[in-house]
């Protein structure tokens, strides 16, 4: 099992504070789906902080199929919750659901860390009026792909940055980041809002079994 995520400010906080300025460039490194993993290039410098990418799961596509599969039970539960409340707006698709994620490609396996944002599955953590965004605590999962085998593990709750309706967030100033420490075999998450590290949104998640 994946160990519990431990929150707290990272010792290398300053490094990923600096990397936030590279967000528009790094985003393209993590948006490819896991399907067809054998054809993907290995992730350069896994320890470098990379901004999370996002997939809208209301209307699944081939590119978002991996994340729809990882979160199928939660998506189904979210759909049912809307139906129970009498909300039938989404009968031709899923109720609103967006997955934030980053992917690490290696020679032996590929690892996906993903956070699912739904209106009913998340809890607000803080509101940042200057950037018109809300930080929410949402379910987090890890999927480990070894060839055709996949192991999906719950990893507690992670932080999700949600813009308010009509807001445009500057990704160089506010974004969620992920990295992988090869030596300790730990996935790392962090978040910056308005150039400031968000307390309680830094996580170290061990992949190695105890």
């Amino acid at each position: 099992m994946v160990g519990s995520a431990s929150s707290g400010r990272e010792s290398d906080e300053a490094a990923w504070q600096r990397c936030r300025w590279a967000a528009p460039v790094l985003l393209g490194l993590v948006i490819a789906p896991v399907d067809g993993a054998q054809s993907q290039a290995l992730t350069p410098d896994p320890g470098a902080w990379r901004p999370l990418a996002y997939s809208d799961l209301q209307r699944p596509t081939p590119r978002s199929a991996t994340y729809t599969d990882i979160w199928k039970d939660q998506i189904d539960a979210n759909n049912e919750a809307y139906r129970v409340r009498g909300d039938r707006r989404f009968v031709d698709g899923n109720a609103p659901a967006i997955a934030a994620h980053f992917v690490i490609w290696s020679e032996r396996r590929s690892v996906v860390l993903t956070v699912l944002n739904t209106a009913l599955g998340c809890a607000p953590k803080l509101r940042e009026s200057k950037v018109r965004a809300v930080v929410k605590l949402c379910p987090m999962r890890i999927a480990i792909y070894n060839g055709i085998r996949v192991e999906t593990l719950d990893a507690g709750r992670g932080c999700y940055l949600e813009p308010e309706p009509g807001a445009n967030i500057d990704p160089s100033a506010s974004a969620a980041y992920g990295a992988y420490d090869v030596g300790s075999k730990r996935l790392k998450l962090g978040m910056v809002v308005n150039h400031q590290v968000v307390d309680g949104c830094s996580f170290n998640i061990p992949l190695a079994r105890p």
Side-chain angles (χ1 to χ4, degrees):
M1 292 291 291
V2 169
S4 300
S6 59
S7 62
R9 187 162 294 186
E10 297 283 317
S11 60
D12 54 353
E13 172 186 307
W16 74 269
Q17 276 272 37
R18 290 193 300 271
C19 92
R20 69 186 187 275
W21 300 107
V25 176
L26 292 174
L27 186 60
L29 297 175
V30 294
I31 60 175
V34 173
D35 307 280
Q38 298 302 319
S39 65
Q40 296 295 327
L42 303 183
T43 299
D45 192 7
W49 289 99
R50 292 169 166 82
L52 272 60
Y54 297 83
S55 295
D56 189 338
L57 306 183
Q58 274 195 264
R59 297 183 181 277
T61 67
R63 288 188 64 83
S64 66
T66 293
Y67 313 109
T68 302
D69 288 344
I70 291 173
W71 290 110
K72 185 179 185 308
D73 61 325
Q74 292 289 319
I75 292 171
D76 290 345
N78 190 51
N79 291 342
E80 179 61 22
Y82 273 78
R83 285 192 291 268
V84 169
R85 294 170 61 175
D87 191 336
R88 304 286 177 172
R89 291 175 294 168
F90 310 108
V91 293
D92 60 343
N94 293 320
I98 299 177
H101 50 82
F102 79 100
V103 183
I104 298 296
W105 305 99
S106 70
E107 293 181 352
R108 294 182 53 247
R109 62 182 181 177
S110 299
V111 178
V112 177
L113 188 145
T114 175
V115 181
L116 182 68
N117 178 28
T118 62
L120 304 179
C122 301
K125 176 178 173 60
L126 65 89
R127 183 178 301 275
E128 177 51 70
S129 58
K130 291 183 179 179
V131 298
R132 298 179 60 200
V134 177
V135 177
K136 304 166 71 174
L137 290 173
C138 300
M140 183 164 56
R141 283 181 177 174
I142 295 169
I144 303 171
Y145 294 82
N146 288 285
I148 62 173
R149 296 178 53 201
V150 59
E151 185 177 14
T152 303
L153 306 164
D154 288 320
R157 287 181 169 259
C159 292
Y160 184 100
L161 183 62
E162 180 181 83
E164 295 179 357
N168 293 314
I169 294 180
D170 178 359
S172 71
S174 303
Y177 293 87
Y180 177 61
D181 188 308
V182 176
S184 65
K185 297 182 179 179
R186 287 174 178 264
L187 293 166
K188 301 189 293 183
L189 281 180
M191 181 175 288
V192 168
V193 175
N194 197 26
H195 303 296
Q196 300 297 316
V197 174
V198 180
D199 289 334
C201 286
S202 296
F203 298 90
N204 280 294
I205 308 169
L207 287 182
R209 297 178 184 277

